[in-house]
Amino acid sequence: MRRRTYKQSIPTQNLDSFLDILTNTVGVLMFVGLFVSVVAVQSATIVRTPLVSDSDKSPQFFEVRGNKVIPLNHATVNREFTDFSNSLPSCNEPELPLDLDIYSYQHYQQQLQEYRNCLAHKIAQVKNFRVQTSHYQVRINLNSSLGLIYEPLSNESGESIQELAQVSSEFHSLLKTWNPQTDYLAFIVRPDSFAAFRRAREIAWQKGFDVGWEPMQQDVPIEFSSQGRAVGVQ
């Protein structure tokens, strides 16, 4: 009898998973290439916002409100505030003596009362502090570490876009008193006043001044801390 011979069948390999991986990889590469192309095309037309940088120059502050530019005269206010701070009395709290005999205790009570009277007088002076500039009345905010709050004297203060362009304007006169090498302009801009800000900035740039600005909500009062206010050059 003949022996039956069996042919060994070799299993075929399934390449579906490999094809799926290859297809996904090609798709991702095509997406990355498309993204890079779009970014490269748009990069020539994007106007980038200048980064804020610190400056050794002195800031000269303006508020831009109602589409008008208003000088804060903060340098004058700051001098007044510094002189006022230096004139305040020094109130030194007495220390409780170690030996509490009746005479030492009475002397301590007298010193403690003098200290309290000094504090009360000092607080009253701080509450009554006022500085008035051409456009603002400035007072101390006792609720925020002795910050200075600027309250407008009138809603009609400031110069419009048309008035800014005049050589005799207050804005032009102030620029003449400052030095572009040592001073820069810092604008606090309300939401309704970007047109006036851009015009003032253009004039300042023409005169060689650096400019910085910060947006502020319409009804939020302007306040400077006891360390000042930081508006970087842009």
Side-chain angles (χ1 to χ4, degrees):
M1 294 180 60
R2 290 184 180 178
R3 291 183 179 180
R4 293 182 181 179
T5 58
Y6 296 93
K7 294 183 179 179
Q8 187 178 3
S9 59
I10 301 175
T12 58
Q13 188 175 4
N14 191 343
L15 300 179
D16 290 344
S17 299
F18 173 75
L19 292 176
D20 289 341
I21 295 174
L22 182 62
T23 302
N24 292 336
T25 304
V26 172
V28 170
L29 291 175
M30 291 179 62
F31 175 78
V32 172
L34 180 61
F35 176 77
V36 171
S37 300
V38 171
V39 171
V41 170
Q42 290 186 347
S43 62
T45 59
I46 292 176
V47 178
R48 300 188 182 277
T49 304
L51 296 177
V52 175
S53 60
D54 295 331
S55 176
D56 295 332
K57 300 178 182 179
S58 299
Q60 305 295 341
F61 287 92
F62 293 83
E63 181 186 9
V64 192
R65 169 174 44 86
N67 238 4
K68 292 183 177 181
V69 177
I70 314 163
L72 292 181
N73 299 112
H74 179 66
T76 301
V77 174
N78 193 47
R79 284 195 298 270
E80 294 278 351
F81 178 70
T82 301
D83 293 341
F84 168 75
S85 299
N86 293 335
S87 69
L88 290 174
S90 298
C91 302
N92 300 316
E93 185 175 5
E95 295 183 2
L96 186 67
L98 297 178
D99 298 327
L100 274 180
D101 58 71
I102 186 169
Y103 299 106
S104 299
Y105 182 73
Q106 289 177 348
H107 181 65
Y108 168 74
Q109 287 293 326
Q110 181 182 355
Q111 289 181 316
L112 186 61
Q113 186 59 47
E114 291 175 356
Y115 168 71
R116 290 170 178 169
N117 293 339
C118 179
L119 280 183
H121 178 63
K122 190 173 185 177
I123 292 173
Q125 286 182 284
V126 170
K127 287 182 177 179
N128 294 328
F129 174 81
R130 296 290 187 277
V131 175
Q132 186 166 312
T133 68
S134 301
H135 305 287
Y136 297 89
Q137 178 173 269
V138 184
R139 62 179 177 85
I140 295 176
N141 185 0
L142 295 175
N143 297 323
S144 63
S145 303
L146 301 182
L148 294 174
I149 293 183
Y150 283 72
E151 299 173 332
L153 295 175
S154 171
N155 291 329
E156 304 301 322
S157 297
E159 293 178 317
S160 64
I161 296 176
Q162 293 75 20
E163 292 170 328
L164 287 173
Q166 299 176 8
V167 180
S168 59
S169 68
E170 182 182 17
F171 187 68
H172 275 274
S173 299
L174 287 173
L175 293 187
K176 292 178 182 178
T177 66
W178 298 324
N179 186 348
Q181 304 302 319
T182 57
D183 301 287
Y184 75 93
L185 274 56
F187 294 89
I188 300 172
V189 185
R190 305 292 185 173
D192 63 350
S193 303
F194 282 95
F197 160 66
R198 286 191 289 267
R199 182 64 181 125
R201 180 178 60 180
E202 180 184 358
I203 295 173
W205 281 345
Q206 290 173 355
K207 299 295 183 180
F209 286 93
D210 293 331
V211 174
W213 71 282
E214 68 168 288
M216 179 170 283
Q217 296 179 10
Q218 193 68 34
D219 298 324
V220 175
I222 294 176
E223 181 173 353
F224 285 72
S225 73
S226 55
Q227 286 77 38
R229 191 183 188 102
V231 178
V233 173
Q234 297 163 332

